[in-house]
Amino acid sequence: EDGKVKAAFRTPSPGSTTRDGSHLDQRQPTEDEGTLYDDPFFVAHYPRDTARRFQDPAFPDVELERLKLDLLNQDDANVQDAQAEIGDGAKSSPGNKGTFATGKSTFDTTGGLRAAMSTNHETLEASLDSFMPNHLPVPEWWENQEEIVAWCEYQDI
């Protein structure tokens, strides 16, 4: 009532901090510089959500769908129709590619990944490809499997 107390919302704001986060006592987690998530206002999860990548029926794994169709009767008209349309890509909205009601967007330098409405399939696929796991372990014997098979055949086991 006396004007000395002010309501503050989210101060300091994420955009007002320095690059190393040394603004007063705010500690903001940072990502690698130059990556998509270096922007503190970029909060989307879907550009790197590889766990649910192929669960959407409108956006299937093309290679897996082709393999499934190859196992079916090739003379069936439904199978032939499905094979013809499998290369068409996703059946969901392609995004507005940065063109909003107010005109072309200039705030997004990520190719449309900052806002879900502007995301297109090509950019999303490229982003998901870059985040796909590539660290899957292999067994110790993997490099020597030909030698092991040859030894087993020689031993007749």
Side-chain angles (χ1 to χ4, degrees), residues 97 108-114 118-120 123:
K97 297 182 176 65
D108 189 1
T109 59
T110 63
L113 290 174
R114 188 169 178 196
S118 65
T119 300
N120 60 52
T123 308

Side-chain angles (χ1 to χ4, degrees), residues 91-157:
K91 306 292 185 265
S92 57
S93 171
N96 66 8
K97 297 182 176 65
T99 305
F100 295 93
T102 56
K104 189 77 174 159
S105 170
T106 59
F107 74 90
D108 189 1
T109 59
T110 63
L113 290 174
R114 188 169 178 196
M117 186 174 153
S118 65
T119 300
N120 60 52
H121 298 304
E122 296 82 24
T123 308
L124 179 60
E125 281 295 308
S127 176
L128 288 172
D129 286 342
S130 71
F131 286 108
M132 284 301 283
N134 61 0
H135 59 279
L136 300 176
V138 295
E140 186 176 319
W141 51 263
W142 189 260
E143 299 296 326
N144 305 335
Q145 58 186 323
E146 290 85 13
E147 296 173 22
I148 294 170
V149 169
W151 181 84
C152 289
E153 288 174 351
Y154 176 75
Q155 297 291 328
D156 199 27
I157 53 174

Side-chain angles (χ1 to χ4, degrees), residues 2-45:
D2 58 1
K4 293 181 182 177
V5 179
K6 295 181 181 180
F9 176 74
R10 199 175 184 183
T11 53
S13 66
S16 66
T17 60
T18 59
R19 184 50 109 185
D20 61 357
S22 62
H23 185 280
L24 300 174
D25 50 8
Q26 177 177 350
R27 283 175 268 148
Q28 179 175 336
T30 58
E31 292 265 349
D32 295 333
E33 279 192 43
T35 64
L36 195 64
Y37 296 90
D38 193 25
D39 179 4
F41 296 104
F42 189 87
V43 295
H45 73 281

